[in-house]
Amino acid sequence: MTSEQALSISLGLQGPCVIARLTGDFDFGSAAEVRDRVTKALDLTQPPLLVIDMQAVSVCDSSGLSVLVYLHKAVTASGGRLLLSGLNGRCKHLFAITALDKFFDIRSTAELAIAELNEAGDPPPFTD
């Protein structure tokens, strides 16, 4: 017996980064909402710098993976970067068996991913 946990999405900005924190089941029922909400949030920064924190994702199915690939393509086509963070348990195993752990840049925590993108997104210092 499995229990479904509705997905919640928390979006925010930290420096030049859009942070999407997902909690619950990232599956067919929630994939379209994630795609739509995160895609709209990408307009907040140029080039788009995106961290998707999956620390609290309990289940990710092929629909969730498809959305992540879509977002990766959208971000990189605009000259930006996407980092995933917090993969654990079943999600980590799913990324390994699908070889998506080689496709995505994955960091252990959202804080590490945010720090990396904030460094990359900082404008160069002004020089005479």
Side-chain angles (χ1 to χ4, degrees):
M1 181 174 170
T2 61
S3 65
E4 292 186 25
Q5 184 181 359
L7 187 81
S8 67
I9 308 162
S10 171
L11 291 167
L13 277 175
Q14 189 166 342
C17 302
V18 173
I19 316 302
R21 295 185 192 274
L22 309 181
T23 303
D25 295 350
F26 188 13
D27 56 15
F28 179 78
S30 59
E33 181 183 3
V34 172
R35 182 192 65 232
D36 294 346
R37 289 186 60 196
V38 174
T39 299
K40 286 179 187 170
L42 292 177
D43 290 338
L44 298 173
T45 63
Q46 286 304 319
L49 300 173
L50 174 62
V51 173
I52 299 178
D53 182 15
M54 296 183 58
Q55 175 89 30
V57 171
S58 48
V59 173
C60 183
D61 70 6
S62 61
S63 299
L65 294 179
S66 177
V67 167
L68 293 174
V69 170
Y70 168 85
L71 291 170
H72 183 275
K73 289 181 178 181
V75 167
T76 56
S78 298
R81 275 186 79 198
L82 180 150
L83 295 178
L84 298 180
S85 67
L87 293 181
N88 55 49
R90 284 194 250 169
C91 290
K92 189 173 186 174
H93 179 70
L94 178 63
F95 275 73
I97 64 172
T98 59
L100 287 173
D101 59 345
K102 308 291 187 259
F103 178 76
F104 287 101
D105 286 331
I106 302 171
R107 302 297 177 265
S108 57
T109 67
E111 292 72 26
L112 287 173
I114 293 165
E116 183 175 327
L117 290 183
N118 275 335
E119 258 182 40
D122 285 341
F126 179 78
T127 57
D128 291 316

